[in-house]
Amino acid sequence: MNILGISAYHHDSAAALIQNGKVISCAQEERFTHIKHDASFPKNAIQHCLNEGKISLEDINIVVFYDKPLLTFHRLLETYLLSSHRGISSFIKSISTWIKEKYFLKKILKQELANIGKNNFTQQILFTQHHQSHAAAAFFPSPFTDAAVLCLDGVSEWATTSLWVGKDNQLHHKWEIKFPNSLGLLYSAFTHFCGFTVNSGEYKLMGLAPYGEPKYADLILKHLIHVKDNGKYRLNMRYFKLKHGVVETNKRFEKLFQRPPREPDSEITQQDMDIARSIQFVTEDIVMKLAKAIKQDYQIDNLCLAGGVALNCIANGSIWKEKLFKGLWVQPAAGDVGGALGAALSVWFEHLKNPRLPHSFEDVNFTKS
Ligand SMILES: [Fe+2]
């Protein structure tokens, strides 16, 4: 049984091949095209996986895509209705590309796969939910038979933070926080505000944080995000605007910090460093509160992390140092690139109900750049 997982059309396209439950190859499209965060259909990554598996596309039994486009369409539609002052022409313009690429996704995937295989692609195509792909990418390769799985990212179909409990070959969804409330999008809003590229420069903001003081942490917690003791949170949307499905800062936000966003090529100031430290402080505070509440509520020994926010290794490290859990496993490809692997593993274990033997994924071939 050959299963091909695909993530694409948002950012960081990737492919993953598993054969009878064994991970054969995972590859990111940008490694072949040298286009950073390449979001296009990962034809090079797919071909690489097929080569590693010594098979052709005809040998693939199931293709699985890492999110459910119809649910994302509902979110984009509702988001538009919430900000309908921008007019119908703006809506048509912003959504037309999305409809072309995602709403007719099955047809597009078949066409793209047919181009690779030079033949009609008639095999089964499945879709997993985005956070299910993240959770599967975190839990199934982990050495744990039981674990809580916390997924944190910018946005998927609706979920931005979700909790799952993994047991043997199944993941059980427990709760989720929905868009526009998103820790990932809040961090990205600050990434933009400090002059870095969203969905790319978040690691720079994290790297800038140690040079500053958390002078604005109280301001952030008082005005921008309400955080409960259990870590669940709600953004104050008066300080943000929704644009093309993401959260951006607005004039009220700038007034709060008494400055405009930093120009990308301008000098980095001490205030930028203090802002970076402050949002890092808030992020760590939320992640730690979530982890403590999960431990208290589920009394489980192990925690797995995935989603783009789980690339924040400082926040992950703070959970580890707190010794809340006996085991902590973070999916190295925690962002959407790992969604291809998670989708494929989800089909093998959850959909096909194959038994799971932890430690059976030790010999993954990682693609060299
Ligand atoms: Fe994601």
Side-chain angles (χ1 to χ4, degrees), residues 12 30 33-39 200 203:
D12 297 324
E30 70 163 29
T33 62
H34 298 158
I35 299 168
K36 206 166 165 59
H37 304 297
D38 195 343
S200 176
Y203 74 97

Side-chain angles (χ1 to χ4, degrees), residues 246-262:
V246 300
V247 174
E248 289 189 356
T249 57
N250 64 14
K251 291 289 174 198
R252 189 177 277 121
F253 186 103
E254 292 174 21
K255 206 172 162 190
L256 188 68
F257 286 88
Q258 299 177 343
R259 53 166 270 185
R262 175 183 156 259

Side-chain angles (χ1 to χ4, degrees), residues 130 134 153 336:
H130 187 102
H134 278 315
D153 67 359
D336 285 359

Side-chain angles (χ1 to χ4, degrees), residues 26 68 76 97 99 143 151 166 181 196 216 224 241 245 264 312 350:
C26 309
K68 294 205 170 186
L76 289 174
T97 309
I99 287 179
C151 301
N181 301 295
F196 303 117
Y216 302 98
L224 303 184
K241 59 187 175 191
N312 195 310
E350 296 192 275

Side-chain angles (χ1 to χ4, degrees), residues 186-198 202 205 241 247-249 254 259 261-264:
L186 178 69
Y187 205 88
S188 291
F190 274 93
T191 301
H192 168 74
F193 194 67
C194 288
F196 303 117
T197 308
V198 168
E202 281 77 5
L205 193 70
K241 59 187 175 191
V247 174
E248 289 189 356
T249 57
E254 292 174 21
R259 53 166 270 185
R262 175 183 156 259
E263 288 296 324

Side-chain angles (χ1 to χ4, degrees), residues 10-11 66 130-131 134 152-156 159 306-308 334-337 339:
H10 185 42
H11 52 83
Y66 82 133
H130 187 102
H131 270 222
H134 278 315
L152 301 131
D153 67 359
V155 64
S156 57
D336 285 359
V337 61

Side-chain angles (χ1 to χ4, degrees), residues 323-366:
K323 294 187 170 60
L324 285 171
F325 297 91
K326 280 186 191 162
L328 176 68
W329 200 89
V330 185
Q331 165 54 247
D336 285 359
V337 61
L341 173 65
L345 291 172
S346 175
V347 167
W348 176 255
F349 290 115
E350 296 192 275
H351 183 68
L352 299 176
K353 298 191 170 34
N354 285 297
R356 176 168 172 263
L357 301 170
H359 296 293
S360 61
F361 303 111
E362 287 146 355
D363 46 357
V364 179
N365 291 321
F366 289 102

